[in-house]
Amino acid sequence: MKNIFLVGLPSSGKTTLGKQLARHIRYRFVDTDVLIVKEEGMSINDIFAQKGEPYFREAEARILRAIRPDSKLIVATGGGIPYFHDNMAYIKANGISVFLDVSPEEIVARIQRHASNDRPTYRKQDTQLLQNLQQKYHDRLPFYSQADFTLKGENLQIKQLLDVLQEVVTE
């Protein structure tokens, strides 16, 4: 059973939908950010502050490649994973990928409503947050778009994800 990788901007629903999907299809759920924090013994903010973004991006690639293929996992990836270190090619070669395509405007609304300040590149009080997210979306879209499936919308639901993956999860 192939792993299923969820890709998209931060706050696009990868963790929320990933956990629901794992319960529905009896897979295990993992979040690459959580795995990095566990391995490094420090928060993502601290990794960025003490070791820098290049180190963090290398840690993401290392964690991604440590995930065994065909492990029946739902993997919520960090928003930048597909963009760095040929990670999208690795994801495509080692599982099924789903792009949760949520607009930057909706992401800003979610961050303003819910997110804490635990994302080093996205802060609630950032006056340039929308512009930064729009730029990241623009830069990363060619990588996200390589996903096997795309779910587009502002309020994605587990039923939509199950419908898209129906033939994959019933094999």
Side-chain angles (χ1 to χ4, degrees):
M1 300 290 244
K2 289 188 172 191
N3 295 333
I4 299 172
F5 295 88
L6 303 178
V7 301
L9 287 174
S11 295
S12 61
K14 299 180 301 278
T15 298
T16 301
L17 287 174
K19 287 178 179 178
Q20 293 174 12
L21 179 62
R23 280 193 298 275
H24 272 80
I25 66 172
R26 295 188 176 104
Y27 273 40
R28 286 185 305 130
F29 173 81
V30 297
D31 183 314
T32 58
D33 285 347
V34 171
L35 296 175
I36 291 167
V37 166
K38 186 176 180 180
E39 180 180 278
E40 294 292 325
M42 64 177 73
S43 72
I44 292 173
N45 274 338
D46 288 343
I47 296 168
F48 267 71
Q50 295 175 26
K51 298 183 178 185
E53 184 176 1
Y55 179 89
F56 176 76
R57 298 304 177 189
E58 290 171 12
E60 283 182 321
R62 185 174 61 250
I63 288 292
L64 181 65
R65 284 161 178 76
I67 295 170
R68 288 193 346 256
D70 302 322
S71 298
K72 292 179 69 171
L73 294 176
I74 304 300
V75 182
T77 64
I81 280 186
Y83 188 66
F84 295 94
H85 300 289
D86 293 321
N87 291 334
M88 194 62 191
Y90 183 84
I91 288 169
K92 299 251 325 146
N94 290 283
I96 305 298
S97 52
V98 180
F99 170 31
L100 303 182
D101 188 358
V102 177
S103 74
E105 292 78 10
E106 175 60 21
I107 299 292
V108 168
R110 291 177 185 186
I111 289 171
Q112 296 295 342
R113 281 193 308 265
H114 303 292
S116 62
N117 277 331
D118 62 354
R119 297 176 190 272
T121 57
Y122 305 102
R123 302 268 188 208
K124 280 186 194 183
Q125 66 274 15
D126 182 356
T127 58
Q128 301 294 311
L129 182 58
L130 179 57
Q131 286 177 293
N132 292 341
L133 281 165
Q134 288 170 330
Q135 186 62 52
K136 289 220 189 304
Y137 181 84
H138 174 75
D139 293 345
R140 295 174 180 177
L141 188 59
F143 296 89
Y144 292 155
S145 296
Q146 294 173 35
D148 299 306
F149 302 98
T150 297
L151 273 179
K152 186 173 180 68
E154 305 312 308
N155 191 20
L156 300 175
Q157 301 293 319
I158 186 63
K159 181 175 180 349
Q160 295 166 279
L161 187 53
L162 288 167
D163 288 348
V164 164
L165 292 171
Q166 182 176 11
E167 60 190 57
V168 175
V169 298
T170 57
E171 289 177 351

